[in-house]
């Protein structure tokens, strides 16, 4: 092919990518996902095999898969082949190249990221082609996973969050008649040790493709290592595979510990409830002995069948009056009153991050320091906005102020405190000691616009409305419910309160 023809082909592909009817593609995929949900719910497993094949071989499925992997946070991170799909022409060509026949995934690129405990978490980065293949199969697998998931599993599921998990914890522990003992569970190296044989026998997807993913291996320091167990952290489909591996624990507990059972000739409520977020979970119980002698062995056996085991360091049994940390927050009863607060460990880690940012930016302009601090402070405060966090927010703001005051004084050792205060902490809008800097922009009436640091206490405490357990985002009958939740999340009120009539 001559150069002119090659350039024309590239231009055509770029034009083809930009002209894809994305709403139509999404509708077609959603229609197939809805049929998968219906077939799964009805137990029509032959259809559950056929419908995913239709989806994974469709143009719409392939297009959405390529769109996802080229627009997410990892779009600039290459795998072992160093290839990225960064142009419209490359993306359109990628859709055409996604073929199941003869598919052979490349090994993962192994990298490490630091954990809060000082250790490192291994991540496996697939090449772009394998990411797209995972994304297209996830489009078919996710509706099955949502339909068969444990009701109180909240991690790595669409429309669910840590706030939902903490709301469920509060619900099962807040009343006077609620269980008083909690088993804090943590699975040791969950992603790294899941049994491949178990997944091959129980995950309802293309077995050949799944086997190839699991056995692809990884490359570290230019050396190829085989993978005999686990599903690599870093793959798009890995969280769903891990969730499906752990699903089934809640019905198992419900089977062994019904709401009421006979014991020693009388009715007895074991009060066993599970709340899980990914591989972290809590299980409540009527007594410490019940959790230790009956519940924990049952959980251990459930995990053993999947090649997993409980972490001896992080798995413990505590009383609700002592409280426990879960997902960065602490749930504890104070004189019988339950409260959810930001955990001390989480707050300490946040302040250490803020101190590190301030310490490493001792000479940067004030405006740049504000730009680097605001996303960190705002993100942490928003995460805890549903908890009883007012006191913690005030303490955090004071500590941040102390660090900023020290930062400002060190920049001007020969200036007075009053001068430093006026220079860096002006009074704005009736509030004193605002860490702010005047910008070149001005309002319509000519007043200067200030760039200011956000304080954690600026975030209003808002009650979180927990998602309904049976809600399924892939089921069309739940669409009005999710639209209502989205409206309430955006505006803070329901459609009815806003005077909007249902369509």
């Amino acid at each position: 092919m001559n150069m002119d023809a090659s350039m024309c082909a590239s231009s055509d592909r770029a034009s083809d990518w930009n002209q894809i009817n994305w709403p139509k593609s999404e509708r077609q995929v959603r229609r197939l996902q809805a049929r998968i949900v219906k077939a799964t719910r009805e137990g029509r497993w032959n259809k559950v095999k056929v419908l995913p094949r239709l989806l994974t071989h469709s143009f719409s499925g392939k297009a959405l898969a390529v769109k996802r992997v080229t627009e997410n946070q990892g779009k600039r991170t290459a795998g072992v082949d160093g290839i990225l799909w960064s142009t419209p022409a490359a993306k359109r060509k990628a859709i055409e190249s996604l073929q199941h026949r003869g598919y052979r995934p490349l090994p993962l690129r192994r990298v490490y990221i630091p954990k809060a405990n000082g250790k490192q978490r291994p991540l496996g980065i697939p090449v772009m082609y394998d990411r797209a293949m995972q994304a297209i199969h996830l489009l078919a697998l996710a509706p099955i996973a949502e339909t068969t998931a444990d009701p109180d599993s909240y991690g790595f599921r669409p429309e669910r969050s840590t706030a939902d998990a903490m709301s469920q914890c509060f619900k099962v522990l807040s009343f006077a008649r609620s269980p008083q003992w909690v088993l804090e569970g943590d699975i040791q190296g969950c992603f790294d040790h899941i049994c491949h044989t178990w997944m091959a026998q129980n995950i309802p997807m293309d077995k050949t493709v799944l086997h190839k993913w699991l056995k692809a291996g990884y490359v570290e320091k230019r050396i190829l290592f085989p993978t005999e167990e686990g599903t690599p952290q870093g793959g798009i489909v890995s969280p769903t595979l891990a969730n499906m591996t752990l699903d089934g624990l809640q019905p198992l507990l419900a089977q062994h510990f019904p709401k009421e059972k006979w014991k020693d000739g009388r009715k007895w409520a074991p009060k066993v409830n599970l709340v899980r977020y990914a591989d972290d979970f809590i299980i409540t119980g009527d007594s410490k002995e019940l959790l230790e002698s009956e519940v924990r062995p049952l959980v251990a056996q459930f995990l053993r069948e999947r090649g997993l085991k409980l972490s001896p360091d992080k798995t413990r049994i505590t009383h609700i009056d002592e409280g426990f940390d879960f997902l960065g927050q602490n749930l504890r009863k104070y004189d019988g009153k339950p409260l959810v607060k930001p955990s001390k460990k989480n707050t300490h880690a946040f302040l250490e991050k803020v101190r590190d940012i301030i310490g490493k930016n001792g000479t940067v302009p004030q405006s740049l320091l504000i730009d680097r601090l605001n996303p960190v402070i705002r993100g942490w405060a928003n995460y805890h906005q549903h908890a009883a966090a007012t006191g913690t927010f005030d303490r955090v703001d004071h500590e941040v102020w102390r660090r900023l005051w020290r930062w400002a004084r060190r920049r001007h050792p020969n200036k007075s405190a009053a001068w430093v205060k006026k220079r860096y902490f002006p009074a704005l809008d009736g509030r004193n000691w605002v860490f702010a800097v005047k910008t070149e922009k001005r309002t319509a009436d000519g007043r200067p616009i200030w760039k200011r640091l956000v304080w954690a206490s600026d975030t209003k405490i808002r009650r979180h409305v927990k998602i309904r357990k049976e809600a399924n985002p892939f089921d069309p009958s739940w669409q009005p419910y999710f639209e209502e939740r989205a409206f309430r999340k955006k505006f803070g009120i329901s459609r009815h309160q806003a005077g909007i009539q249902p369509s």
Side-chain angles (χ1 to χ4, degrees), residues 178-195:
S178 297
Q180 302 296 302
W181 292 92
V182 177
L183 169 67
E184 304 173 61
D186 183 88
I187 301 170
Q188 189 171 13
C190 178
F191 282 86
D192 299 328
H193 300 297
I194 299 175
C195 176

Side-chain angles (χ1 to χ4, degrees), residues 387-489:
T390 302
T392 305
F393 285 175
D394 290 339
R395 290 193 298 272
V396 161
D397 285 345
H398 179 69
E399 181 60 27
V400 173
W401 174 86
R402 285 181 63 249
R403 292 287 168 170
L404 290 173
W405 178 250
R406 184 181 301 178
W407 174 88
R409 291 302 303 270
R410 284 180 174 176
R411 289 166 69 92
H412 305 282
N414 298 323
K415 298 292 186 179
S416 66
W419 185 94
V420 173
K421 193 268 181 192
K422 182 179 180 181
R423 168 70 174 78
Y424 292 100
F425 296 89
L428 296 175
D429 299 329
R431 182 172 182 175
N432 205 5
W433 290 93
V434 179
F435 190 71
V437 60
K438 190 183 299 184
T439 67
E440 296 180 356
K441 297 180 181 179
R442 293 187 173 271
T443 61
D445 56 1
R447 291 181 300 170
I449 296 177
W450 292 78
K451 179 185 290 186
R452 66 186 68 194
L453 184 80
V454 299
W455 299 107
S457 56
D458 293 337
T459 302
K460 294 182 178 180
I461 304 300
R462 296 173 56 186
R463 177 178 175 269
H464 177 74
V465 179
K466 190 181 81 70
I467 191 170
R468 291 174 63 175
K469 296 182 182 183
E470 64 274 20
N472 189 333
F474 298 103
D475 187 341
S477 64
W478 283 99
Q479 184 176 351
Y481 170 78
F482 285 108
E483 290 176 351
E484 174 65 26
R485 279 184 66 84
F487 186 91
R488 182 185 290 272
K489 183 177 180 180

Side-chain angles (χ1 to χ4, degrees), residues 236-380:
I236 291 176
V237 76
S238 295
T240 301
L241 294 178
N243 255 343
M244 298 186 78
T245 301
L246 298 176
D247 282 335
L249 180 56
Q250 188 167 356
L252 178 67
L253 291 170
Q255 177 185 345
H256 282 78
F257 305 100
K259 291 185 177 181
E260 286 187 348
K261 61 186 298 186
W262 287 92
K263 183 178 181 180
D264 300 330
R266 63 183 180 86
K267 279 188 176 181
W268 168 64
K271 302 178 182 178
V272 173
N273 302 280
L274 169 74
V275 182
R276 180 170 67 84
Y277 190 93
D279 57 341
D280 294 325
F281 62 89
I282 65 144
I283 301 176
T284 65
D286 181 60
S287 67
K288 183 177 182 179
E289 293 73 21
L290 171 71
L291 293 175
E292 186 66 57
S293 61
E294 297 186 50
V295 173
R296 185 166 181 166
L298 184 64
V299 174
Q301 175 60 32
F302 173 87
L303 296 176
R304 195 177 302 118
E305 295 172 359
R306 291 153 175 79
L308 303 171
K309 63 179 180 180
L310 291 170
S311 170
D313 298 332
K314 298 181 180 179
T315 301
R316 60 182 67 89
I317 298 174
T318 55
H319 195 274
I320 190 61
D321 289 343
E322 298 176 12
F324 63 94
D325 291 349
F326 188 54
L327 304 177
Q329 297 184 336
N330 179 269
L331 176 55
R332 178 182 172 186
K333 278 189 176 180
Y334 298 83
D335 296 325
K337 181 181 179 181
L339 286 178
V340 177
K341 299 180 179 181
S343 69
K344 293 181 179 179
K345 183 178 179 181
N346 180 271
T347 303
H348 176 75
F350 163 72
L351 286 175
E352 284 297 307
K353 185 173 184 178
V354 170
R355 293 176 188 131
D356 185 61
I357 293 173
I358 296 173
K360 290 181 177 179
N361 292 275
T363 60
V364 302
Q366 184 183 7
S367 175
L368 183 57
L369 180 61
I370 292 173
D371 288 338
R372 291 176 179 173
L373 286 174
N374 274 353
V376 177
I377 297 172
R378 188 181 290 114
W380 181 83

